[in-house]
Amino acid sequence: GEYRKPEDHRFSFDGPFSTFDRGAVQRGFYVFNQVCAACHSLEHLAIRHLGQPGGPFHDPAYPNPNDNPVVRAIAAEYIVEDGPDEYGDMFERPGRPADRFPSPYANEAQGRAANNGAYPPDLSIITRARHYGAPYIRSLMMGYGEEPPEGVTVGAGLYYNPYFPGGLIAMPPQFEDGLLTYNDGTEATVEQMANDVTEFLAWASDPHMEQRKRLGLMVLAYLVILCGLLFFTYRQIWSKVK
Ligand code: HEM
């Protein structure tokens, strides 16, 4: 269906050598956890990934994220299903860093039943899975509240959002100014929460981006030096040929 092109926005991670904004990824995780996790899974990520190098809660004092106290505390807030135990029963226990993020629904059918037939997609690779990527997610989250154009009827359980293909989305608006209280004092406006959750989802979709860019930079530097060496070697070798 038709859709509006997402608003342009410069993210901290745009460009070949840029990095994620750690504060934004941390805030974005908070938004994800408080808001999105009620309906969306993050199935490609384990909780410990939050503490790996490049992750929002990485601490060099804990090279093994399973030992990172912040990550352990985050994990312990989740209730995960485990088992079967020695009697063949499933049981629940507090999460550990090695666990995956628990999914809100047991399966797709349950997810659809809870959302008027629409399925909230997994968000772990969403910024790569959607055309326009990060700017689309940001605009989508900010894109509610406009009157639908003449002739468009918004059915029950649907919301008008011009950035969503077709314009009618089954996801209700998620943000209003001041919905959350960030612990770093940042004011939680709709735009701020949209920026932050997008930054988090961009990290989740590409958790090794920073390492990859660093490696790219090193390869480039290596090639530049190699070129220089080859050039002088060439001059040396041919210097006696007149
Ligand atoms: C779809 C993000 C919270 C229900 C989506 C999509 C994204 C998204 C990116 C996919 C749009 C597309 O297919 O192009 C988020 C974020 C959230 C959030 C970042 C938190 C800030 C929620 C919550 C619910 C929900 C809390 C349930 C109450 C849905 C549903 C769909 C959806 C039902 C499918 C819509 C459709 O296909 O019409 N969401 N979401 N979302 N979301 Fe969310």
Side-chain angles (χ1 to χ4, degrees):
E2 276 192 22
Y3 58 89
R4 187 183 298 167
K5 233 184 125 202
E7 241 181 69
D8 282 332
H9 181 73
R10 272 200 70 82
F11 289 97
S12 73
F13 50 84
D14 290 336
F17 306 121
S18 56
T19 56
F20 290 113
D21 171 340
R22 189 175 157 101
V25 182
Q26 289 181 349
R27 288 191 300 274
F29 171 65
Y30 176 63
V31 176
F32 174 81
N33 224 6
Q34 295 290 310
V35 184
C36 327
C39 300
H40 290 274
S41 59
L42 208 54
E43 60 186 30
H44 296 295
L45 281 191
I47 301 166
R48 77 186 141 76
H49 290 142
L50 297 171
Q52 76 186 9
F57 299 103
H58 175 64
D59 180 344
Y62 302 98
N64 180 350
N66 294 338
D67 301 329
N68 179 317
V70 176
V71 176
R72 293 177 70 95
I74 289 169
E77 303 261 306
Y78 296 104
I79 297 165
V80 304
E81 191 173 70
D82 201 348
D85 61 14
E86 67 249 60
Y87 309 106
D89 297 326
M90 302 302 283
F91 59 94
E92 292 185 332
R93 58 162 174 79
R96 297 191 283 252
D99 292 319
R100 311 228 135 226
F101 286 94
S103 294
Y105 308 113
N107 52 47
E108 182 170 336
Q110 198 193 62
R112 285 191 189 277
N115 290 282
N116 275 309
Y119 185 60
D122 180 72
L123 293 185
S124 44
I125 51 163
I126 198 75
T127 67
R128 290 186 179 221
R130 289 294 181 273
H131 200 53
Y132 290 120
Y136 166 67
I137 309 298
R138 173 180 178 274
S139 284
L140 183 75
M141 299 318 292
M142 294 166 55
Y144 292 90
E146 280 177 38
E147 280 299 316
E150 198 87 41
V152 173
T153 334
V154 183
L158 291 176
Y159 305 85
Y160 178 63
N161 187 321
Y163 298 98
F164 186 67
L168 297 174
I169 189 168
M171 172 166 70
Q174 296 301 317
F175 297 149
E176 55 181 78
D177 288 336
L179 174 74
L180 300 174
T181 307
Y182 284 130
N183 65 10
D184 65 0
T186 303
E187 201 187 330
T189 61
V190 170
E191 182 178 0
Q192 185 69 48
M193 290 183 281
N195 291 347
D196 291 343
V197 83
T198 303
E199 185 100 8
F200 170 71
L201 292 174
W203 168 77
S205 294
D206 194 2
H208 301 294
M209 179 202 78
E210 293 180 356
Q211 279 142 294
R212 193 179 61 244
K213 287 180 177 175
R214 243 190 331 267
L215 181 65
L217 194 62
M218 255 133 69
V219 168
L220 271 182
Y222 174 83
L223 286 174
V224 167
I225 292 168
L226 186 69
C227 276
L229 285 174
L230 284 174
F231 178 68
F232 288 111
T233 311
Y234 153 86
R235 296 245 302 213
Q236 186 82 51
I237 288 173
W238 290 91
S239 61
K240 286 173 202 104
V241 180
K242 285 277 143 70

